[in-house]
Amino acid sequence: METLRSGAYPYYLKERILGRSGHLSNDDAAQFAVSAAKNGVKDVLLAHLSHENNTPAMALNTVRQALDRNGCTSVSLAVAPRSEPSPVHIL
């Protein structure tokens, strides 16, 4: 949250993102990934990254740690690139 608060986004956008339905945090994504993995999901593709306030490494670390803590170590985890197509993911 501190990254967002001190970032370059205008005030109105920061307020929307900080609101109840304006942002998917890495922690929220991690909780969802764990729930999905416990229900049989084998591949998770993170696509919730902002341009300025979240990095692929931050997202990957948060979600991977949550998956590992919950025994979901075999789940494949990747980040969708921001500026180019990602590899094909077969569902």
Side-chain angles (χ1 to χ4, degrees), residues 3-4 7-10 13 16-17 22-24 26 46-59 79-84:
T3 305
L4 173 62
Y9 286 163
L13 184 55
R16 183 187 61 79
I17 293 169
H23 176 68
L24 177 64
N26 289 336
L46 302 176
H48 68 287
L49 280 70
S50 67
H51 185 67
E52 295 182 23
N53 294 309
N54 198 5
T55 66
M58 289 168 60
V79 175
R82 290 186 186 125
S83 58
E84 60 192 54

Side-chain angles (χ1 to χ4, degrees), residues 3-90:
T3 305
L4 173 62
R5 291 182 200 278
S6 63
Y9 286 163
Y11 178 78
Y12 77 89
L13 184 55
K14 290 178 185 181
E15 288 297 303
R16 183 187 61 79
I17 293 169
L18 290 170
R20 291 193 59 188
S21 60
H23 176 68
L24 177 64
S25 71
N26 289 336
D27 291 332
D28 291 340
Q31 287 180 333
F32 183 79
V34 167
S35 176
K38 288 183 175 183
N39 283 292
V41 168
K42 300 290 183 204
D43 296 289
V44 174
L45 179 63
L46 302 176
H48 68 287
L49 280 70
S50 67
H51 185 67
E52 295 182 23
N53 294 309
N54 198 5
T55 66
M58 289 168 60
L60 282 169
N61 288 338
T62 300
V63 176
R64 174 50 64 201
Q65 288 175 6
L67 288 168
D68 291 350
R69 273 194 314 271
N70 285 277
C72 305
T73 57
S74 64
V75 172
S76 173
L77 184 60
V79 175
R82 290 186 186 125
S83 58
E84 60 192 54
S86 71
V88 173
H89 295 266
I90 309 242

